[in-house]
Amino acid sequence: LVLVGAALAHPGFTTTHLDLDDGGVWVTSADDLVLGRYNPTVDDLTGGLVAANSKLDVLQEGSQVVLLEPGSAAVVDPTTVALTTRIDLPPDAVVALENSTVLVADPASGRAWLRPLATLATLRVGEEDPDLVVGLGGVVALDVDGVAHGLSAQGVESTLRLSSDGDDDGAAPVVEEVATRDASPSGSWTSATVVGETLVATDGAVVSLPEGTHPVDPGGVLQAASERADEVALATRDALLLVDLGSGE
């Protein structure tokens, strides 16, 4: 582990890491129940929507924006500043957006679905069979290319990608079991991320890497998905740590 600095937190607007294709940054305010579009050029909010729940979040990839609230996800049209699509989700669903692809994972059932953002409106989580099952205690994370990586509590690692050999929407989910790792010492993983094509999971006390598990400071938060690198970042209450993906040190 490498200590790289102290971690600070402050209240206020929440933003996402993004490419500013349209010059706008979408931010949220839980106090005001607002999803707003901030324009850094004029240093002001230039549009916004009122949310229904204070537990709101936003995903953004360039001009693609998704509003997350407990039990739902909605696509935002940045031009009209209006919701164009809303789907129902499990209460504690984990949702990710990368490469115009949306991952919906349900930790309570260990099931996951992968869809192009353009066809997200057709997803019926309560009615459709899952595209990937990692089971209770498993985790699923999305890499920057839009490929989902799953890890069961028993250590079975798999990938879920959208094939171009699908129907008219051009997206058929394809699952591949890629490896077997050490099982979670606690019996379940709590979160995961992907660095390049390397899946990293944690149960709050260890991190899972391809070659084994390694102890870390308890309660650490893994970085967001990123391009290929030699290390993964883990934020604790007091510090930001870098864990080598090869050695776990």
Side-chain angles (χ1 to χ4, degrees):
L1 301 178
V2 178
L3 176 66
V4 297
L8 300 177
H10 65 85
F13 284 101
T14 301
T15 67
T16 57
H17 179 72
L18 43 90
D19 296 317
L20 301 180
D21 292 349
D22 66 350
V25 182
W26 289 82
V27 297
T28 62
S29 172
D31 291 340
D32 299 322
L33 301 182
V34 168
L35 170 67
R37 182 177 60 194
Y38 172 73
N39 188 322
T41 303
V42 297
D43 191 24
D44 199 5
L45 293 176
T46 57
L49 294 166
V50 177
N53 195 292
S54 62
K55 295 182 179 179
L56 72 160
D57 201 355
V58 60
L59 303 176
Q60 179 175 3
E61 184 180 44
S63 60
Q64 299 175 331
V65 182
V66 178
L67 169 65
L68 301 179
E69 296 181 86
S72 71
V75 178
V76 180
D77 184 333
T79 302
T80 61
V81 193
L83 302 180
T84 62
T85 295
R86 184 186 293 273
I87 63 169
D88 294 329
L89 299 176
D92 297 318
V94 176
V95 185
L97 169 64
E98 296 285 355
N99 196 27
S100 302
T101 304
V102 178
L103 168 69
V104 176
D106 178 17
S109 66
R111 304 186 302 167
W113 296 260
L114 196 64
R115 293 291 185 275
L117 180 63
T119 63
L120 184 62
T122 66
L123 178 60
R124 300 291 183 268
V125 171
E127 304 172 9
E128 298 183 25
D129 291 336
D131 299 324
L132 176 66
V133 177
V134 294
L136 294 177
V139 285
V140 187
L142 194 63
D143 71 21
V144 295
D145 294 322
V147 177
H149 299 249
L151 184 65
S152 71
Q154 295 73 33
V156 178
E157 182 181 355
S158 54
T159 60
L160 168 64
R161 66 184 71 240
L162 296 178
S163 168
S164 59
D165 298 329
D167 53 22
D168 293 338
D169 295 327
V174 176
V175 176
E176 179 183 4
E177 186 175 314
V178 295
T180 300
R181 300 187 180 189
D182 292 344
S184 168
S186 65
S188 65
W189 306 110
T190 55
S191 65
T193 190
V194 188
V195 180
E197 297 181 352
T198 301
L199 174 66
V200 182
T202 182
D203 67 354
V206 303
V207 290
S208 171
L209 301 175
E211 49 74 45
T213 57
H214 301 271
V216 292
D217 291 350
V221 178
L222 291 168
Q223 67 169 67
S226 70
E227 300 287 350
R228 180 182 176 87
D230 295 328
E231 299 166 315
V232 62
L234 181 78
T236 69
R237 179 179 296 273
D238 302 315
L240 180 64
L241 308 174
L242 296 180
V243 181
D244 188 275
L245 294 177
S247 67
E249 298 179 353

